[in-house]
C-alpha cells in the first residue's frame, strides 16, 4: 500500500509555503501525484464596510478572486516543480466546503493545524475537515516544513477510528525506523490492553513494519497531554490517531483527545474518522 495522490490545502496564509514544501517532499517520497487546493469565498455584503455589494461589485470581486487563485496556482506549481504530476484546484467557494468535497481525488489530505480566525476568505477548520473528508487527514503545525517519519507513535484505542487510522497510515509506518504503540488505559484493564497492543503490533509486523515500544500507561493527566509527553520523550515525528467527533445542532463537537491534539500537538498528526 502507498499513496497515489496527495491533496494539500494551499491558502494565502504565511505558513502555506512550508506546508506545500512538506507535501511536495511526501509526493516525491511516495511517487504520488500532488493536488493543490484553495477555496476563496466571497465576503458577505454585511461585512463589506457596512455597504451592500451590488452586481458590479460582485463581478469585480469575482475577477479579483480568479486572478488571485491563478497567481496562487503559479506559486504552488513553482514550489512543487520537482513533483512529476501536479494539479491545481482553485475555486470560488468556502474552503471548508471545497476541500471535503474534492477529497475524493486523493488518498491523503494535508492541512494546517490552525484556522486563522481573521481570514474570512481562505480559512479552513482542520477538525471539521477530519470529520467530513472521508480520507485520512495529516494536520501540520505552522512551523513544520518536512516530515521525516523516523519515529511514529500510534495512539491506540480499540475503536473503528483508530483501526482506520493505523491502516491509513501504513505508508508512513512502513518507512519509519520505529513505530511505538501507546494505549492510555484505565486501571484493572491491563490484561485487555496488553492483548490489544499485541494484536495491533503483530498485525503491523505482518505488514513489514518495525515495531518497537508497546506500552500501556495509567495517568491522572488528560490523555492527550500524556500522549504528547510520550511523543516528546521518544522524539517522535508523527502521531497516528483516530479522529473523534460529530455534528450537533449544526455545530461540530470533538472528542477530548482529538480536540487537544488539534490544539496543542507540536508534531504532525494523522487522523482518520
Amino acid at each position: 500500500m502507498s499513496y497515489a495522490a496527495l491533496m494539500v490545502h494551499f491558502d494565502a496564509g504565511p505558513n502555506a509555503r512550508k506546508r506545500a514544501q512538506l507535501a511536495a517532499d511526501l509526493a516525491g517520497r511516495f511517487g504520488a501525484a500532488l493536488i493543490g487546493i484553495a477555496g476563496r469565498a466571497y465576503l458577505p455584503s454585511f461585512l463589506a464596510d457596512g455597504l451592500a455589494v451590488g452586481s458590479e461589485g460582485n463581478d469585480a470581486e469575482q475577477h479579483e478572486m480568479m486572478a488571485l487563485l491563478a497567481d496562487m496556482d503559479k506559486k504552488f506549481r513553482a514550489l512543487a516543480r520537482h513533483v512529476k504530476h501536479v494539479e491545481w484546484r482553485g475555486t470560488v467557494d468556502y474552503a471548508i466546503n471545497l476541500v471535503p468535497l474534492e477529497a475524493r481525488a486523493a488518498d491523503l489530505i494535508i492541512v494546517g493545524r490552525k484556522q486563522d480566525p481573521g481570514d474570512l476568505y481562505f480559512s479552513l477548520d482542520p477538525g471539521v475537515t477530519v470529520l467530513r473528508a472521508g480520507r485520512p487527514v495529516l494536520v501540520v503545525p505552522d512551523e513544520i516544513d518536512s516530515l521525516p517519519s523516523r519515529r511514529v507513535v500510534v495512539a491506540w484505542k480499540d475503536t473503528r477510528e483508530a483501526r482506520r487510522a493505523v491502516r491509513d497510515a501504513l505508508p508512513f509506518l512502513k518507512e519509519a525506523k520505529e513505530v511505538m504503540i501507546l494505549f492510555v488505559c484505565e486501571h484493572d484493564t491491563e490484561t485487555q490492553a496488553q492483548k490489544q497492543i499485541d494484536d495491533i503490533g503483530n498485525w503491523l509486523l505482518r505488514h513489514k513494519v518495525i515495531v518497537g515500544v508497546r506500552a500501556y500507561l495509567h495517568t491522572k493527566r488528560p490523555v492527550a497531554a500524556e500522549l504528547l509527553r510520550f511523543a516528546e520523550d521518544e522524539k517522535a515525528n508523527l502521531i497516528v490517531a483516530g479522529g473523534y467527533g460529530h455534528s450537533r445542532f449544526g455545530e461540530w463537537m470533538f472528542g477530548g483527545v482529538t480536540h487537544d491534539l488539534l490544539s496543542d500537538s507540536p508534531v504532525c498528526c494523522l487522523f482518520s474518522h
Side-chain angles (χ1 to χ4, degrees):
M1 175 183 174
S2 187
Y3 299 128
L6 310 179
M7 178 177 288
V8 59
H9 179 233
F10 187 71
D11 55 23
N15 298 295
R17 183 183 182 90
K18 294 180 181 179
R19 191 162 59 250
Q21 289 173 337
L22 180 147
D25 177 65
L26 292 180
R29 276 159 53 187
F30 294 123
L34 181 60
I35 304 169
I37 188 166
R40 209 288 194 177
Y42 284 110
L43 186 65
S45 59
F46 62 85
L47 294 178
D49 298 325
L51 301 175
V53 179
S55 60
E56 292 183 1
N58 283 336
D59 289 342
E61 188 178 8
Q62 184 169 13
H63 286 304
E64 180 184 353
M65 288 180 183
M66 297 310 296
L68 180 58
L69 289 169
D71 182 61
M72 292 173 68
D73 178 5
K74 293 179 182 178
K75 291 178 179 177
F76 177 74
R77 291 180 184 275
L79 290 169
R81 60 188 177 276
H82 299 302
V83 180
K84 187 174 182 181
H85 299 290
V86 178
E87 182 181 335
W88 173 254
R89 300 189 181 196
T91 304
V92 179
D93 195 357
Y94 289 98
I96 196 58
N97 295 329
L98 179 66
V99 174
L101 180 66
E102 299 294 323
R104 61 179 177 267
D107 300 300
L108 177 69
I109 312 302
I110 303 169
V111 303
R113 199 193 79 188
K114 293 181 180 178
Q115 179 183 18
D116 183 357
D119 185 355
L120 299 176
Y121 293 105
F122 294 99
S123 188
L124 178 67
D125 187 317
V128 175
T129 305
V130 168
L131 300 184
R132 293 183 59 194
R135 290 286 192 267
V137 177
L138 181 67
V139 180
V140 181
D142 289 346
E143 62 275 11
I144 292 181
D145 60 3
S146 64
L147 178 54
S149 54
R150 292 186 294 268
R151 296 173 65 78
V152 180
V153 172
V154 171
W156 180 250
K157 185 177 182 180
D158 197 21
T159 62
R160 176 201 68 179
E161 291 85 353
R163 295 179 188 189
R164 287 193 62 186
V166 175
R167 181 200 63 190
D168 292 340
L170 270 177
F172 286 111
L173 302 180
K174 293 180 76 168
E175 73 169 16
K177 300 299 183 183
E178 182 180 7
V179 173
M180 297 156 281
I181 306 170
L182 179 65
F183 187 4
V184 181
C185 64
E186 299 176 355
H187 287 283
D188 301 323
T189 62
E190 293 86 351
T191 301
Q192 182 181 9
Q194 189 62 60
K195 182 178 186 304
Q196 292 179 22
I197 292 171
D198 288 342
D199 281 346
I200 195 65
N202 292 335
W203 181 83
L204 287 170
L205 288 172
R206 294 186 179 103
H207 284 274
K208 313 301 182 185
V209 173
I210 300 172
V211 179
V213 175
R214 307 184 192 190
Y216 60 82
L217 300 175
H218 304 299
T219 180
K220 294 181 179 179
R221 305 171 65 196
V223 173
E226 191 63 28
L227 285 171
L228 293 177
R229 181 203 62 77
F230 181 87
E232 181 180 10
D233 289 349
E234 296 294 337
K235 297 180 173 56
N237 310 103
L238 175 66
I239 297 173
V240 175
Y244 304 95
H246 62 277
S247 177
R248 183 179 182 184
F249 303 122
E251 294 187 6
W252 291 96
M253 313 292 289
F254 300 98
V257 175
T258 302
H259 176 275
D260 291 348
L261 289 178
L262 286 169
S263 299
D264 302 330
S265 177
V267 300
C268 293
C269 294
L270 187 149
F271 296 99
S272 290
H273 175 63

